[in-house]
Amino acid sequence: MIQGLLVLNYETYNFQRWHGTILYWGLIGLGAIVNIWGSRLISLVESASFLIHILAFIGNFVAIWVCSPARHSASFVFTFFQNNTGWANNGVPWCIGMLSSCYVLVGYDGAIHMGEEMLHPETSIPHCMLGSIAINGVLGFAFLLALLFCMGDMQTALKSSTGFPFLEIFKNATGSAGASSAMAAPIISIAGLAAVPLMASTARMAWSLARDKALPFAGYLSKVNPRSQLPTRAVLATSVVMVLLGLINIASTTAFNAIISLAVFGLHVSYWVPVVFMLWRRLATPELLTYGPWKLGRLGVATNIISLIYLTYTSVFMVFPPYQPVTAVNMNYASLIFGAVLIFSGVYWVYKGRKVYEGPQVGLHVM
């Protein structure tokens, strides 16, 4: 997005992939530094992000509606359909297009990764998960309507030289690159600040898996710093892996996007697995279930079934190529990368994992 703003404001700016990679590395560095030496700031960063999120929504929503020179009709917003994908069947691109909602609603499991450091996680985590979906679902849908009604010419927005259609929509609404930049600034700020809690969540997950001896180099990654009591090694390892992934973007955007798309696909598959076992246990041997303070009662089975239908649908279409004919550039490589990860995990489990994995460990190991 920062590069998009540079394109919007400076016509002479030459968009380069390595520029974006350096910015990406900077955000990784920010996340690592705060998590290692400023962990007390994480809650402040999260609170600030939430406040900016709400204020930015109000400001941008009002600005788009008030400043837009023209608005599309409700018929255009709710019924207009255009297939530019090359798929002969309109149902396929419609299903693929629906997946855009998955990218903004995924990750609601993030609170679970911090569960061991939360007070009353048995109730706090469900509240966080449902609260984030409710708030962002409502705000996101309202903002989407504002963008669609006030987007101006659709092709101009889609073909924006910035690479981000919403920046073109901001400019169309305000008629000013400066105002568009001001509207985009809080969005960029939120995305940048998100690097801090994302790093914390990812590092905690890596540390907990290493503690359970489910990862290679578990003995190294599972240790925490004796002074700060933080998984410093897991933070550093996560940062190194992410920095190396950034190098792929310099060589090939297609390869980098394939790995990024795997994140959403992999998360949906990971959501699918526990729901399947939970539903099976509910129906087969409900007497063996031990519930905590948070339960859905009779709605539990229906919720599990709806979840499985939704996750199956999204997981299937997430691996579809978005365009026809399929080329090496527009191919969706998520299934290939996912298969490679499964093969590696399976081999590791057979040769070592099953011999050392003992389930969740409670004790901590210091450096």
Side-chain angles (χ1 to χ4, degrees):
M1 283 187 284
I2 294 176
Q3 286 183 281
L5 284 185
L6 291 174
V7 172
L8 184 67
N9 289 276
Y10 303 99
E11 296 181 357
T12 58
Y13 174 69
N14 186 17
F15 193 104
Q16 297 291 334
R17 289 198 299 267
W18 66 269
H19 295 171
T21 299
I22 291 178
L23 292 171
Y24 165 74
W25 285 343
L27 292 177
I28 294 174
L30 172 65
I33 290 172
V34 173
N35 274 275
I36 294 176
W37 292 290
S39 59
R40 295 181 180 180
L41 298 176
I42 294 178
S43 61
L44 178 62
V45 169
E46 292 174 338
S47 299
S49 299
F50 180 74
L51 180 61
I52 295 173
H53 177 44
I54 300 299
L55 295 178
F57 165 78
I58 296 173
N60 287 350
F61 184 84
V62 172
I64 291 175
W65 275 106
V66 173
C67 298
S68 180
R71 296 188 181 92
H72 289 291
S73 65
S75 175
F76 171 84
V77 172
F78 294 106
T79 65
F80 178 76
F81 182 86
Q82 188 175 63
N83 181 3
N84 295 322
T85 64
W87 285 93
N89 186 332
N90 287 336
V92 174
W94 187 87
C95 291
I96 295 175
M98 284 286 291
L99 299 179
S100 59
S101 62
C102 298
Y103 291 87
V104 295
L105 290 177
V106 79
Y108 34 79
D109 61 311
I112 298 176
H113 306 156
M114 306 294 292
E116 296 184 31
E117 301 175 45
M118 297 174 64
L119 295 175
H120 310 296
E122 65 277 6
T123 54
S124 298
I125 290 176
H127 287 154
C128 290
M129 294 173 67
L130 293 178
S132 65
I133 295 174
I135 294 173
N136 290 296
V138 172
L139 297 186
F141 184 68
F143 196 66
L144 176 62
L145 290 179
L147 291 177
L148 292 175
F149 274 107
C150 305
M151 70 185 304
D153 181 67
M154 183 175 65
Q155 293 303 320
T156 301
L158 292 176
K159 297 178 181 179
S160 173
S161 58
T162 66
F164 295 91
F166 78 89
L167 292 178
E168 195 68 35
I169 296 174
F170 286 173
K171 185 178 180 181
N172 172 72
T174 63
S176 167
S180 303
S181 300
M183 294 172 67
I187 300 176
I188 294 175
S189 299
I190 295 171
L193 291 175
V196 174
L198 284 174
M199 177 68 73
S201 176
T202 305
R204 263 60 170 188
M205 182 168 57
W207 168 78
S208 63
L209 287 171
R211 178 195 58 186
D212 299 343
K213 300 179 181 179
L215 287 180
F217 312 108
Y220 177 84
L221 296 174
S222 63
K223 294 181 180 179
V224 300
N225 189 295
R227 180 177 301 177
S228 63
Q229 291 297 298
L230 295 172
T232 304
R233 293 183 177 183
V235 173
L236 292 174
T238 301
S239 302
V240 170
V241 171
M242 295 176 70
V243 166
L244 294 177
L245 289 177
L247 292 174
I248 298 176
N249 182 56
I250 298 177
S252 171
T253 302
T254 301
F256 183 74
N257 289 336
I259 296 175
I260 297 301
S261 65
L262 173 64
V264 181
F265 175 62
L267 282 172
H268 275 238
V269 174
S270 72
Y271 299 159
W272 189 88
V273 173
V275 175
V276 166
F277 285 107
M278 184 64 181
L279 180 61
W280 172 75
R281 180 67 75 186
R282 284 179 184 273
L283 299 177
T285 54
E287 67 279 1
L288 298 180
L289 278 175
T290 302
Y291 291 96
W294 181 276
K295 58 183 296 186
L296 295 178
R298 296 181 179 179
L299 294 177
V301 173
T303 302
N304 291 155
I305 293 174
I306 294 173
S307 298
L308 290 179
I309 294 173
Y310 169 75
L311 291 172
T312 301
Y313 157 73
T314 57
S315 298
V316 168
F317 282 100
M318 274 184 186
V319 298
F320 270 55
Y323 298 101
Q324 291 283 352
V326 179
T327 66
V329 175
N330 65 27
M331 173 61 184
N332 187 339
Y333 293 96
S335 57
L336 176 63
I337 304 298
F338 184 71
V341 171
L342 285 182
I343 292 174
F344 172 80
S345 301
V347 171
Y348 178 77
W349 171 257
V350 170
Y351 284 94
K352 185 176 182 180
R354 63 188 179 90
K355 301 175 183 178
V356 298
Y357 181 71
E358 300 175 353
Q361 303 294 311
V362 178
L364 299 179
H365 303 280
V366 298
M367 298 171 65

